[in-house]
């Protein structure tokens, strides 16, 4: 399974999505840009996509709020990083308001994306305040935490959030 992303104006991306009604796509936006996310077993329909291989997937595209944790990882660090994600606690999936998660391996860059989809922003904020979140991130900033493996991260990670643009 693959995920392809492209950016553009909302109007352009809506037209692009309408050209492929049988494809699994999600249109999202932040304060400045639109982004179209295409999940498929096949090839991208985008001219210049950002391609990812799906390492882990739970749930189906949807919700109204999307959070992308963008994590640059060195080539040497990829096996360790992926192993840690394969061992994740999976507590997020039981969280009220959780819709889906995709762990995405970059195919043309060094930045992994951990994408979660939520019923709404407040469901995500509740997750951040939950005991499950605390447990899922309990090793952060400890000797065992992957965030302490500085040599595998060439730059700091960053979070981007989006609102789902409804069809029509």
């Amino acid at each position: 399974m693959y995920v392809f992303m492209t950016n553009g104006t909302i109007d352009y991306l809506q037209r692009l999505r309408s050209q492929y009604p049988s494809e699994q796509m999600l249109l999202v936006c932040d304060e400045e840009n639109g982004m179209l996310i295409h999940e498929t077993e096949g090839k991208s329909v985008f001219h210049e996509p950002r391609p990812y291989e799906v390492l882990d997937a739970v749930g189906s595209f949807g919700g109204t709020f999307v959070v992308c944790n963008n994590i640059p990882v060195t080539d040497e660090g990829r096996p360790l990083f992926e192993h840690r994600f394969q061992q994740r606690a999976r507590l997020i999936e039981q969280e009220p308001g959780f819709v889906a998660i995709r762990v995405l391996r970059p195919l043309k860059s060094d930045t992994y994306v951990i994408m979660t989809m939520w019923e709404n922003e407040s469901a995500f904020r509740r997750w951040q305040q939950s005991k499950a979140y605390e447990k899922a991130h309990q090793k952060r900033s400890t000797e065992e935490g992957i965030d302490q493996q500085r040599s595998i991260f060439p730059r700091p990670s960053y979070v981007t959030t989006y609102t789902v643009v409804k069809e029509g």
Side-chain angles (χ1 to χ4, degrees):
M1 178 92 65
Y2 298 93
V3 165
F4 300 97
M5 298 180 202
T6 195
N7 291 84
T9 66
I10 297 297
D11 288 343
Y12 170 76
L13 296 173
Q14 283 176 321
R15 285 193 308 275
L16 181 59
R17 177 175 63 181
S18 69
Q19 293 173 14
Y20 302 96
S22 62
E23 294 292 329
Q24 175 69 17
M25 294 189 186
L26 189 66
L27 178 58
V28 299
C29 66
D30 62 14
E31 299 83 30
E32 301 171 12
N33 297 303
M35 182 169 69
L36 193 54
I37 307 165
H38 177 211
E39 184 172 63
T40 182
E41 294 285 348
K43 296 192 181 297
S44 176
V45 298
F46 304 149
H47 293 293
E48 294 186 29
R50 287 187 310 284
Y52 299 87
E53 182 178 0
V54 177
L55 296 180
D56 190 11
V58 175
S60 298
F61 273 18
T64 66
F65 191 68
V66 176
V67 179
C68 294
N69 192 355
N70 303 274
I71 308 169
V73 179
T74 63
D75 285 344
E76 298 80 18
R78 284 178 175 231
L80 174 61
F81 182 80
E82 290 179 15
H83 175 75
R84 290 286 177 99
F85 260 93
Q86 290 165 350
Q87 306 302 314
R88 69 186 179 85
R90 301 191 174 274
L91 298 172
I92 194 171
E93 288 129 36
Q94 315 315 310
E95 200 63 26
F98 169 84
V99 175
I101 186 171
R102 298 293 184 273
V103 178
L104 305 175
R105 173 194 289 145
L107 297 177
K108 290 189 176 177
S109 78
D110 68 351
T111 304
Y112 285 75
V113 176
I114 314 308
M115 180 187 306
T116 56
M117 297 166 208
W118 299 89
E119 287 178 2
N120 51 50
E121 184 176 356
S122 59
F124 170 70
R125 301 290 174 214
R126 283 191 303 275
W127 152 247
Q128 286 186 304
Q129 302 303 314
S130 72
K131 293 289 184 192
Y133 180 90
E134 191 177 302
K135 181 166 177 51
H137 297 92
Q138 68 188 358
K139 291 182 181 178
R140 184 182 284 171
S141 300
T142 70
E143 280 188 26
E144 294 179 62
I146 195 164
D147 63 322
Q148 298 303 301
Q149 306 292 322
R150 301 269 184 243
S151 63
I152 76 167
F153 301 110
R155 298 178 304 289
S157 64
Y158 60 96
V159 174
T160 50
T161 60
Y162 302 92
T163 303
V164 174
V165 177
K166 295 300 176 196
E167 298 208 30

